[in-house]
Amino acid sequence: MEIHHWWIEDFITEIGHCCSKIEVEREFPFDVIGFNDKLFINFVSLNEQITAAQLIELQDKYHKQQKTLIHLWEDVWSNKPAQVLSRVYSFLNLNKIIYARSVQIKEIKEIGLIKKFLDENHLQGYIKTEHNYGLYYQDRLISVACFGAIRLMKNRGENYYSSELVRFATQAGHTITGGLSKLIKYFLEETKVNDIMTYADRDWSVGNGYEKLGFNKVLYTLPLYMLVDLNTGKRYLEDKLPKSITSKFLSINKEELKAQLLQSGFIRVFNTGNIKYLLYNG
């Protein structure tokens, strides 16, 4: 196996002990490696000269062959290795299985508990949400689902309400069979919203799990472009840079700001967009 990037070797070292078959796929200019013939990972280094369109084309090719392909960026692996491995183990069916009938649901009011759990177990970490629920197994928090505020959608009817499933995460090393379904059902019973919206990150998913839960595919969003701070590894949406960064460049416009940042320890990355889903209540 010929690998040219240290971080890919690092990943293979971490996961190699549980994979009986690791094989390089020839997909120039990509570094695609198959694991146990179940999961194919396209390793995207930060210095790659590629486009989102190329990554989407590669996704479509594997999807047509009924193969699971994910895009793993170098900075994501470097900054969230435990969370990456958790997702990969799930794809490879290597997690401990717990059935939903064995867990209990509780609403979580403690923001600190939600933040800690998401930062440890979700690739995108914590984000503030209105309604948070946890699954507890033997009195231990094992999974969370976080929903946004309930909103009146006047364009859909006088009394039509909607919410968004913003985060779902399970403790590393575990899969809760039926867990998300149980959490969604509970939320619908508690709030009586007319629908739930959610998004699947195309870098990591083709959305099959949501469709099995009854969600309807609505649309594909455009790729999102971000800037990575090479000093901290943190990603920022290009159009939502924090003031702590932009305040240093107040005298220039957005395009000049991006150019300055790219010369000051930042690098541009992107994802392949999201899949938007809706689940109708009743």
Side-chain angles (χ1 to χ4, degrees), residues 46 51 64-65 67 107 136 149 191 221 228 256 266 270:
L46 289 176
T51 65
K64 288 176 182 177
Q65 298 173 8
K67 294 179 178 179
E107 184 173 6
Y136 285 79
T191 61
T221 67
V228 177
E256 291 173 335
F266 285 76
F270 50 84

Side-chain angles (χ1 to χ4, degrees), residues 92-110:
L92 295 172
N93 300 321
L94 295 172
N95 284 342
K96 176 184 177 180
I97 303 296
I98 297 173
Y99 294 96
R101 63 177 178 268
S102 302
V103 300
Q104 292 77 44
I105 296 179
K106 295 180 185 179
E107 184 173 6
I108 302 176
K109 298 291 188 180
E110 301 170 56

Side-chain angles (χ1 to χ4, degrees), residues 43-202:
F43 293 87
V44 187
S45 295
L46 289 176
N47 59 355
E48 296 284 356
Q49 299 299 312
I50 55 174
T51 65
Q54 287 177 293
L55 294 185
I56 292 171
E57 183 181 2
L58 186 66
Q59 283 175 335
D60 291 341
K61 176 181 177 179
Y62 275 76
H63 184 54
K64 288 176 182 177
Q65 298 173 8
Q66 298 184 326
K67 294 179 178 179
T68 299
L69 172 80
I70 64 174
H71 299 302
L72 176 57
W73 283 78
E74 179 180 356
D75 64 298
V76 175
W77 169 248
S78 296
N79 289 286
K80 294 274 190 174
Q83 293 84 344
V84 168
L85 289 173
S86 179
R87 289 291 300 272
V88 169
Y89 289 148
S90 179
F91 281 119
L92 295 172
N93 300 321
L94 295 172
N95 284 342
K96 176 184 177 180
I97 303 296
I98 297 173
Y99 294 96
R101 63 177 178 268
S102 302
V103 300
Q104 292 77 44
I105 296 179
K106 295 180 185 179
E107 184 173 6
I108 302 176
K109 298 291 188 180
E110 301 170 56
I111 299 302
L113 179 59
I114 285 290
K115 185 178 188 305
K116 183 175 186 295
F117 192 91
L118 289 176
D119 284 344
E120 290 178 354
N121 297 288
H122 195 284
L123 277 171
Q124 294 173 314
Y126 170 75
I127 187 171
K128 184 178 179 181
T129 46
E130 192 76 16
H131 306 276
N132 305 304
Y133 301 92
L135 293 179
Y136 285 79
Y137 178 69
Q138 298 178 349
D139 296 322
R140 178 166 55 96
L141 182 62
I142 198 79
S143 184
V144 300
C146 305
F147 300 85
I150 297 169
R151 302 183 183 281
L152 175 63
M153 310 296 287
K154 292 183 178 180
N155 61 328
R156 299 184 192 175
E158 185 176 346
N159 296 300
Y160 194 101
Y161 293 89
S162 179
S163 182
E164 179 182 352
L165 171 61
V166 181
R167 291 284 190 272
F168 172 67
T170 300
Q171 189 178 58
H174 298 79
T175 294
I176 316 299
T177 301
L180 180 55
S181 177
K182 186 168 185 172
L183 286 161
I184 289 173
K185 182 180 179 181
Y186 185 85
F187 176 71
L188 290 175
E189 290 173 349
E190 290 289 300
T191 61
K192 309 299 183 185
V193 297
N194 298 93
D195 72 43
I196 296 174
M197 174 184 68
T198 197
Y199 293 91
D201 182 349
R202 290 188 70 187

Side-chain angles (χ1 to χ4, degrees), residues 9-53:
E9 294 178 347
D10 186 36
F11 176 90
I12 292 173
T13 298
E14 288 290 335
I15 202 170
H17 68 280
C18 62
C19 290
S20 58
K21 184 177 181 182
I22 301 175
E23 188 172 16
V24 174
E25 297 262 318
R26 297 303 175 188
E27 296 289 351
F28 183 83
F30 305 108
D31 288 309
V32 178
I33 300 176
F35 297 87
N36 289 358
D37 293 326
K38 291 181 179 180
L39 176 67
F40 297 85
I41 300 179
N42 175 36
F43 293 87
V44 187
S45 295
L46 289 176
N47 59 355
E48 296 284 356
Q49 299 299 312
I50 55 174
T51 65

